[in-house]
């Protein structure tokens, strides 16, 4: 019996001529599209997701995925083709693709970055030990013992800060490598970026160390700024009242200046963190899987626990 001609899934049916919506948007337009609400119209949501994904992918990943979009080397055509894929899936739902869930589970399992995660955990333990050491040294010192304990306190403080910074760096690298591996997997499958990536743990998920540093950094800077301003005000007040040691006025002004500088840096870091979180949220939404809800029994990688891939 003659088999009926097969057609590709809806989100892979591209017209022969790609829609050309103009030149690639500039920075202002890209930011507006990237910050489009998730409850926007399907066309707007799809265009926002495609814009964010195109900027997120490397040149090699775009070149690998472009043939399925019939985009060639045209970046604007890539955005429009990817937006068309995404819009069809948003409006009509994702069709079942054979082996998609098991293949994604295998890719996620291979991209876990276990050595880097273990190193991040060890560095966090070292940072926690440094904090405990500082607390223990502070509780064991009297009013006259601070001068002799300056070196141990500074040493443990340096160890704590260095361990936390290294842990944040390792965690960031691990997250980026995991995301890059999963994007590589998606770019190797035509239409997968339009459907999203079915994973148990979403992409752009922050690891503990960067989160701790992002929260503690501005907070500690603000605390240091307030402390410096209070100390400077106290020194200036005592100096003006006693009219002795006029050289301390410079110290008070230095405390004021350091406090203001620390406060400005804290505000700048908070602003950068807010913009970074916006980008992370948009990236996570851009690769959100639009298929059926994941069944835990389906997301076991092939070859684990004696299970085999689903047919």
């Amino acid at each position: 019996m003659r088999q009926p001609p097969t057609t590709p899934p809806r989100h892979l049916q591209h017209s022969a001529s790609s829609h050309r919506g103009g030149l690639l948007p500039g920075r202002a337009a890209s930011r507006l599209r990237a910050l489009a609400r998730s409850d926007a119209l399907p066309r707007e949501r799809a265009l926002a997701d495609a814009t964010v994904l195109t900027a997120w992918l490397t040149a090699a990943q775009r070149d690998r995925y472009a043939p399925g979009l019939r985009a060639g080397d045209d970046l604007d055509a890539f955005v429009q083709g990817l937006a068309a894929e995404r819009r069809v899936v948003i409006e009509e739902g994702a069709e079942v693709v054979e082996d998609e869930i098991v293949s994604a589970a295998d890719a996620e399992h291979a991209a876990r970055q276990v050595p880097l995660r273990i190193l991040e955990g060890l560095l966090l333990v070292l940072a926690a030990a440094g904090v405990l050491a500082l607390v223990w040294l502070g509780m064991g010192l009297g009013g006259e013992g601070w001068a002799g304990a300056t070196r141990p306190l500074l040493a443990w403080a340096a160890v704590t800060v260095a361990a936390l910074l290294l842990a944040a760096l390792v965690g960031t690298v691990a997250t980026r490598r995991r995301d890059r591996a999963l994007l590589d997997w998606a770019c190797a499958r035509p239409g997968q970026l339009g459907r999203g990536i079915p994973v148990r743990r979403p992409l752009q998920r922050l690891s503990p160390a960067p989160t701790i540093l992002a929260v503690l950094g501005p907070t500690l800077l603000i605390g240091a700024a307030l402390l410096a301003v209070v100390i400077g005000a106290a020194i200036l007040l005592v100096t003006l009242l006693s009219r002795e040691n006029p050289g301390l006025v410079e110290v008070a002004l230095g405390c004021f200046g350091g406090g203001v500088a620390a406060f400005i840096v804290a505000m700048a870091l908070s602003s950068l963190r807010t913009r970074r979180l916006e980008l992370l949220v948009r990236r996570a939404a851009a690769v959100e899987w639009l298929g059926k809800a994941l069944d835990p029994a389906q997301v076991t990688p092939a070859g684990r626990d004696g299970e085999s891939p689903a047919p």
Side-chain angles (χ1 to χ4, degrees), residues 137 140-150 152-153:
L137 287 174
L141 294 175
E144 300 179 356
W146 284 96
T150 301
L153 286 173

Side-chain angles (χ1 to χ4, degrees), residues 22-309:
L23 299 177
L24 187 68
R27 291 184 178 180
S30 296
R31 178 168 175 79
L32 289 176
R33 291 177 177 179
L35 295 179
R37 301 189 313 274
S38 61
D39 58 347
L41 296 176
R43 186 179 298 275
E44 297 174 352
R45 163 78 187 276
L47 184 57
D49 289 350
T51 303
V52 172
L53 263 177
T54 302
W56 188 8
L57 297 175
T58 63
Q61 289 171 339
R62 288 195 297 266
D63 292 340
R64 192 174 187 181
Y65 198 76
L69 300 177
R70 301 181 183 178
D73 297 331
D74 191 336
L75 201 57
D76 186 53
F78 187 95
V79 174
Q80 297 299 333
L82 185 55
E85 279 189 357
R86 193 71 168 170
R87 179 180 57 81
V88 171
V89 175
I90 292 174
E91 290 179 341
E92 304 180 15
E95 295 179 345
V96 177
V97 175
E98 184 180 1
D99 195 35
E100 179 182 29
I101 302 300
V102 175
S103 179
D106 290 335
E108 186 178 10
H109 179 70
R112 289 182 302 169
Q113 308 299 323
V114 175
L116 291 178
R117 297 302 184 188
I118 293 176
L119 179 57
E120 179 187 4
L122 293 176
L123 289 171
L124 282 177
V125 171
L126 180 59
V131 172
L132 293 177
L134 289 173
V135 173
W136 181 75
L137 287 174
M139 293 178 60
L141 294 175
E144 300 179 356
W146 284 96
T150 301
R151 288 187 176 180
L153 286 173
L154 291 177
W156 277 110
V159 169
T160 303
V161 173
L164 184 56
L165 290 175
L166 287 176
L169 177 61
V170 171
T172 302
V173 171
T175 299
R176 290 183 178 180
R177 292 186 63 178
R178 175 182 181 270
D179 291 353
R180 191 65 62 199
L182 291 175
L183 288 174
D184 285 338
W185 170 83
C187 290
R189 298 169 62 93
Q192 191 65 54
L193 291 180
R195 296 169 57 83
I197 303 179
V199 289
R200 289 175 294 178
R201 296 183 178 181
L203 278 71
Q204 294 292 282
R205 182 178 181 179
L206 294 176
S207 56
T211 303
I212 293 173
L213 183 62
V215 173
L216 287 182
T219 303
L220 293 178
L221 282 175
I222 292 176
L226 294 176
L227 183 61
V229 170
V230 170
I231 292 175
I235 293 175
L236 185 59
L237 180 62
V238 171
T239 303
L240 293 177
L241 291 178
S242 64
R243 296 184 179 180
E244 297 179 357
N245 297 327
L248 293 179
V249 176
E250 297 180 358
V251 177
L253 294 178
C255 291
F256 277 120
V260 172
F263 183 78
I264 293 175
V265 172
M267 292 299 99
L269 291 177
S270 298
S271 177
L272 290 175
R273 179 172 181 263
T274 300
R275 296 182 62 181
R276 178 63 178 171
L277 288 177
E278 288 177 353
L279 178 61
L280 296 183
V281 170
R282 281 302 305 138
R283 283 180 171 179
V287 293
E288 179 186 2
W289 190 50
L290 300 178
K292 297 180 181 179
L294 288 178
D295 183 358
Q298 290 182 293
V299 297
T300 302
R304 296 181 61 197
D305 300 331
E307 298 185 11
S308 57

